[in-house]
Amino acid sequence: MSAEEASTQTPSPWLLLPTFSNNPKLGTSVGALAGYLQKFDPQSQVSIFGVNAQYTSTNSATASLFARTSFAADHHRVSILALGGKIKNDYDDFLGTGAPLKSEDHIRALVARYLYRVKDDWFVGAQALSTNYQIVGQSALDDERLSLLGLTGFKAAGLGVVFLHDSRDLQDAPTQGWLLNLNSIAYRPSAEDSGDFDVYRLDYRHFLGHGEGHVLAVRQSNQWTQDAPPGAYAPVLLRGYTAGEYLGKSMSSIEVEERHRLAERWTATAFAGVACLYGANRGGCSGSDNLFPSLGAGVQYILKPAQGIVANLEFAAGKDGNRALLFKMGYAW
């Protein structure tokens, strides 16, 4: 094979994908993701550098710059995210109060994480976050409701530690292995009326390959807060729900997903899960008001087979009319 023929067969490192979502709370969102893929050495995972922007029919707009790197035989991993935007929400039943609410969230955030492989598949590291998050009502009545609920957002910076186990064969489309991610953030707010608070997260994922390229995936996720203001409470993060509409002092969830290979570049997903919000003014997980089920299905096209990058179209539904149609890069987790 000539050098010219080899070069024409080399996959492009560039990635360009339109994004789309639709749900009753945020309307229709359209955007684009552009990225550059780089593998620094054979033992490292694929590194991605990119930009993502979205605009919605409710006049919301967000943009982010991100980098996820792996180098030195995957002994070092660095992730960076810079995010900014304005999000307008239209809730029919905000936080279970039974009252509708229109709010406008202004957010700016910078997140950085470093991980070092200490032995086998175990990593330790640190993370830092700086955020300026403000919630305002779109009317005087909405402002009053937000004030009564104590939701004003928060401005804070924080540091934390990370303990990670990662034996997945591919980060973006694993067919085997498991991940355990335990991390914390100790926030030190800038606002004088907010005290210090802490957030702890524990995320476990297991991937079991079976049949002709099929994968059964299970995820158990938790988020606990200590002394946090209501605006920093744990959200329901299952597909089909708008992040931030339902909040609790703590959240635990479990999801099961089957990834079925249809053809060389096509897969289909079917998934179901349930989340529970608890603590503070919420009871335990025995009450249906604190349980949030989710189920759905989707289809994926593999854009970059060697890296496991997919274009993903999924529909998910939850309770009380919550639902979403999503088209984005990558599996949900």
Side-chain angles (χ1 to χ4, degrees), residues 225-273:
T225 65
Q226 181 177 358
D227 301 323
Y233 275 6
V236 174
L237 295 178
L238 295 179
R239 283 162 283 184
Y241 294 94
T242 302
E245 181 174 8
Y246 304 99
L247 298 170
K249 184 176 181 180
S250 301
M251 185 280 301
S252 294
S253 66
I254 186 167
E255 298 175 82
V256 179
E257 178 170 298
E258 172 67 16
R259 300 174 182 175
H260 189 84
R261 182 173 292 276
L262 301 174
E264 182 179 359
R265 287 202 170 202
W266 291 93
T267 63
T269 52
F271 51 89

Side-chain angles (χ1 to χ4, degrees), residues 143-194:
D143 266 331
E144 182 180 352
R145 287 175 179 156
L146 288 169
S147 177
L148 289 173
L149 292 169
L151 296 174
T152 58
F154 59 97
K155 182 179 181 180
L159 296 173
V161 295
V162 185
F163 298 95
L164 180 79
H165 176 281
D166 188 1
S167 61
R168 298 171 297 173
D169 51 350
L170 284 175
Q171 284 185 288
D172 296 292
T175 61
Q176 60 184 6
W178 58 279
L179 178 141
L180 179 68
N181 184 356
L182 174 62
N183 67 84
S184 68
I185 287 282
Y187 286 95
R188 299 298 176 258
S190 300
E192 294 181 358
D193 58 347
S194 299

